Structure formats: C-alpha cells, structure tokens
Amino acid sequence: MNRDSHLILLCLLLSLACNRRPGQATNASSKTAALMGIPGSATHIRQVTGPIDDDRLVHAGDRQQDWLTYGLNYAEDRYSPLTQINKDNIRTLGLAWSLDLGTQRGLEATALVADGIMFLTGPWSMVYAIDTRKGSVIWKYDPQVPRSYGEKTCCDVVNRGAALFKGRVYVGTLDGRLIALDASTGIPVWSVMTVDTTKPYSITGAPRIVQGKVIIGNGGAEYGVRGYITAYDALSGKQVWRFYTVPGDPAKPFESKAMKDAARTWTGEWWKYGGGGTAWDAMAYDPALNLLYVGTGNGSPWDRNYRSPGGGDNLYLSSILAINPENGQLVWYYQTTPGESWDFTATQPIILADLILKGQKRKILMQAPKNGFFYVLDRTNGAFISADPYVYVNWAKGVDQTSGRPLENRSARYTKENSDVAPDYDGGHNWHPMAYNPRTGLVYIPARENIATYGHDPNWIYNKRGGGVGNGWNVSIGFDSSVPTRRDTLASRKDPRGMLIAWDPVQRKEIWRVDQKNNWNGGVLATASDLVFQGTADGFFVAYDAKNGAVVWQVSVGGGVIAPPVTYMVDGRQYVSLVAGWGGGVGMKFKSAPLQPGRVYTFTLGGTKEFPEFNKSIVTSIPEIPFSATNEEITHGRELFRSYCSTCHVIAHGGGGLAPDLAFASPTTHRNFLAIVRDGAYLPFGMPRFGNRLSERETLDIQKFILSSAKRARYQSK
Ligand code: CA
C-alpha cells in the first residue's frame, strides 16, 4: 500500500470524513510514516458505523463500541452499556498493553476512542492518537505551549480531553488557543486564540461539540479574569457566539440582557478584578430540550468584601447555566453558592438523567459541586428539587426547600473572624468525573473532606499583572491576626480524607461508601454489568460492585491515578483503559505509589501482558542535608514560601501540591537552589523564574525554611 492509501484507509477506519484539500496532501503524506501501525483487515472496516456527525454524537453511548465525547454521551453519565466484562469473569481481567507517554506531569484526561483509535490529551495540551489494537502512538501533536505559561495555571499544566467531529480532533491549549487537528494526521486545520492574551486565562477543560459548534470555556479566576464560554463553527473556526458569565464595566454596554440582570447583583468595582465565574470544566447537552448546561466557577478575588463590598449574589458565579446553543442566550440559571467567597465552584461535572420523583418522571440534572451539597434540578426550567450534604459541611445548615438558597452559618463568611470552613477550597468533590448507573439508581462520587481556615486578608492589593505564583494569585484570603478565629470542633477532619460515595438522588442519601487511603482519587466509570471502576491516588486500579461497594478486582499500576477510566469495544472485545500519572511528586507524598512516568494501561479479559517495571529508584525518605539558620531567617522564609511557593509545592505533606514535595529535594537540588529559583534553571519543566521577584537573600531564607521543615519531618517520621 502506498502512503496515500494508508491515509484513506485510516480515514475509513476512523469513519471520519477526511476533507483534505489537495494542497494539504503533501503535508499529510509527510507524516504517514507514523501511520504504518494501522491494521487493514476487512473486519476493521466492517466496524465502521458512520462518520462522527451530530447524529452519532446524539447517540454516543448507545452504540456500544466507542467513547466519542468527554462524558461518554451528552448526558455525561459515564455509564457504558458494555457487559462483556462482568462480576463473574472480572478475575481474568488482565493487561492488554501499556504505553509510556514520556511525562511525569499530571494526567487528567478522559481518553476518546473512535473505531479503535484513541485520542488522548496530556500535559502542555499535547494530543496523542493511539492504535488501541497495538498500544502504539500513531501521531503526537505538541501545540508548543510556552513553558513559562505554567505560572498562569493554578493546578498544573494539565488537559482533561479532546472532542471529535467530522474527521477532526479539537483541543483547547493551556495558553488559550482552540485548535482543530486532522484526525488522521494530527496536522492543524485551524487555530483560534480564544482569550485576551494580556490576561492570565488558561484552558484545561475539554471542548464539546453541539450542533456543529465547538464550545470552549477557560480558567483563571484565581488570577483575576472574567469568565465566558465561546462557540466556534467546528469546520471553519469562526466565532458564532460568546456568553460572559459575569458582568463587565457597567459604564460600557452590556453584552446581553443576562449581563444587565447580573450587574444588579454586584456592587463596587468588581470588573477591575475580573469578577471570575470561569467555566473551566462541566458541560452537558439535552438535544430534545435544545439546552446546553454549563457550570461556572468562583469569584475573582475570592473574598466578596473586596470583589463586591456592598454584598450581593454576584450572578452568575458558582452557577449552573442553561444556554441556547444556537445563539448563546441564557435560558435559565441556578446559583449554588450566592455571594461565593470560598472558591466553591459549580464547575464540577453535570449529569443529566430521568428520575421518578414522587411518582412523576422528571427530566433532571445532578451536580456535586465543591460546596458539599448534592443538587437535583429540573433541567427543563432550572426549578430546584433537592440539595443534601454528601460530605461533611459546616458553611451552611442546609438548603431552603422553597427558595433553593443555602442557609448559611453566619461565621462562615470570615468577615469579623477567621473561620474553619468545610468543605475546603478543593471541595467535597472536584473535577474528577462522577458516574450514574440507571440500573442501580446510584451516582458514584469521587469525594473528599477537609477543613480550611479562611480569613479576610487586610493587606491584599490587587495584582494587575495576574499570573505568576506568589502575589500573582488574586485570591485575597489570608489570616487576620487582629480578629478571633472560630475553630471547627471536629478538628480530626483537618486531615484530608478521600472516599468513593454511592449516592441515591431519589432517596437523597448515601447508600454505601468506601473510605480511601488518600484524598485525591480518580474519576469514575460505571458499566451496565454493575461495575464501578476507579483509579486511586495511591496507585491502584479498582473495580467495585456497584450495588454495595465490595472490591471485586484490583491491580497496582505503580503510580497515582486521577484520570477517569474509559471502556470500549474493538473487534468484539471490551477494553478498559486508564491513564495513570498523578504528576506533581505524588509518589513522594504517598510512599506506596512512587512517581511513575505517565502511562496508558489497557485491560481486557484474559490479558496476559506483563506490567512494565515500576520505578523503584525514587527517593522515598527525606535526605539529611546539613544547614544553619536563625529563627528570623526561617520565619521570613516561611512567609515567602507561602506567597511564592505554596501554590505548587508542599513540604512533607500528604495532600495537595502539584510539583515535587520539597522535603525530598536532593542535595544536588539544594546546591543549585539559586539557579533553579532565581535564574530559571527549571523553566523547561514549567517552573517559573523568580529572579525579578525574589532577592538572593530572600531565596536563601526560603531554602532555610524548606530545610528546617524537612528536618522536622524527618524526625517525626522516625
Ligand atoms: Ca478556583
């Protein structure tokens, strides 16, 4: 077969319309050497079920073969109808192949699979096309995100997934571009800049395709931006509409009636700080109702006293929005956390389902946002149905059944005191996808519990530049030592805890839970054989009985997992794929799971492939490094560490943190400390250069604080 026939065959296999213009053929052909891994038997071609168009997306999930869109289908329920792998045979589930992605940064993506080809995104918004029959890379696309962009992201340089439509793969890049790639070659077809590049926006979420449009949001509310989502024509890349989630400067014309209405719920000069409300993750779509559902994020800055000093609900922060996907007009909204002040985003995944409630079939949507309440809304009109705490919550006593508004505990707002608030800013549940099994009627939530102390930061000054860790964060909370502190008496809950919760949205209660070793576990997959699959932060891939949470199968994958697994059929076999690689030194924080290269693991019944050698050479004990320091230097270093380093790093701490735990930094790292911190020696890894922000003395004080903390942790661990 010549190179062009390989390409055409690939297009057929992908069942994608490869609309190659003649001028692109040369370009495309130059990459075909990488395509030789594509098999070409008639069996494979018979699998083709038609191009990925609107109709195929509407029925995604029914067709059993593929995983075509982020949440499996438009309802985003991550409930696969596949039953080949079931409780009776799961003991024979074994490895079919594994693939080293050559990265140690966080992997959070949901893999898409179309006709046996997997499309996966990774750190720095890279895209991989993988042949699932062989476990080999067909092509890899690197959008060349400037590595200095790492300092404009709150939570590592991750990407949660791509979208597929008519022969193209769509990806949002960390630096704000939306790119359409030719699915058969990985060559860009078009690219648009979706953000104001003078502002610290970022994209980590997956685009969605609705009615031939690519919908993409953005993040950056920790740095000072105004949230919005935009629809682009999938074929041309031309902007169709944009919906802002919070109002801009009221002296200028409002972009929509929704913005005019929203502005009445804000006071002061919020627009100068961005306002927030970024839509960085959740979307779902109901084709029958023609409504696109979008979750919005926290306020920017966090503390409403700075953002909107006269109070107000601050629409549409922390809200679920129903938008007409044809024109981007708001149809209804529901705000989960009015006057949001705790980073209680409502960007967590939204699932659509039809439930029998009080004898009536209702079209509902469900969300377990950060604020700790599990919401059920009528998705036709946004009417409130129920909200119940799914984890420990102390910021509100409950949600008023009539108004649908939270009954706040007065001290939670930390205006006259510092306050221990639960959940903390990482939420009762974060972006890690939950799943809903209509057979069991249960929603499986990768949940967590923790308490954080919030206080008004009297010294906060808006950092116009945004971006950049250390004073680049515009969160505005701190600890005000001039006022009292209200402590939560359940002090034991200050240790972050993780759990998988099976929640009944009809009975409005937990049915079972599995307490987990760590607090930041992977997204969830549910199947029609009543299995629930989840990877864990301590490096296991586990299958649970969906009815009672019993572990029916598990295997070690070496490194921590946060990404959700997917399942699909190829050549009549069911596969389950999992992306492992927590990044950020998880292995050093959780000693049972040493830091591993990011890997894709694919399992099937009777799989006999050997696991790759796990990395055992990682330092799991804190090295002893001599140093001398005064108390003043250490105290000064601690303050600087909090401002400049704690966004990404921890020191001997078992939770949070995206870059390595500095307690485990080697003597070599410490010898090169000034070069790394001030001169940017680790810029290629995304570590910013601090030379213009930290003096040599300040940098050395930070180092002394790190060494003294590490020394204390070393003694404690003995
Ligand atoms: Ca946030």
Side-chain angles (χ1 to χ4, degrees), residues 154-155 221-222 278 280 297-299 302 343-345 347 370 425 473:
C154 72
C155 313
E222 268 63 61
T278 47
W280 53 263
N298 56 280
W302 289 5
D343 194 15
F344 283 167
T345 63
T347 47
K370 276 193 194 175
Y425 36 75
W473 273 61

Side-chain angles (χ1 to χ4, degrees), residues 382-402:
F384 175 80
I385 294 175
S386 64
D388 301 279
Y390 62 93
V391 288
Y392 175 64
V393 169
N394 75 5
W395 72 277
K397 282 185 272 292
V399 178
D400 183 80
Q401 190 56 44
T402 314

Side-chain angles (χ1 to χ4, degrees), residues 659-717:
D661 184 328
L662 296 178
F664 300 91
S666 69
T668 314
T669 299
H670 279 288
R671 267 196 302 280
N672 298 322
F673 201 78
L674 284 170
I676 293 166
V677 177
R678 296 196 73 237
D679 306 335
Y682 283 178
L683 265 177
F685 309 112
M687 158 113 183
R689 184 202 319 250
F690 289 89
N692 57 348
R693 284 172 273 173
L694 289 169
S695 70
E696 193 169 309
R697 192 185 70 87
E698 287 173 326
T699 308
L700 292 174
D701 284 355
I702 290 173
Q703 186 178 25
K704 285 168 183 172
F705 166 66
I706 293 167
L707 286 166
S708 76
S709 304
K711 184 178 175 185
R712 193 163 18 134
R714 195 171 65 241
Y715 280 124
Q716 283 167 355
S717 67

Side-chain angles (χ1 to χ4, degrees), residues 576-589:
V576 183
S577 290
L578 176 77
V579 185
W582 213 71
V586 66
M588 299 184 221
K589 279 180 293 201

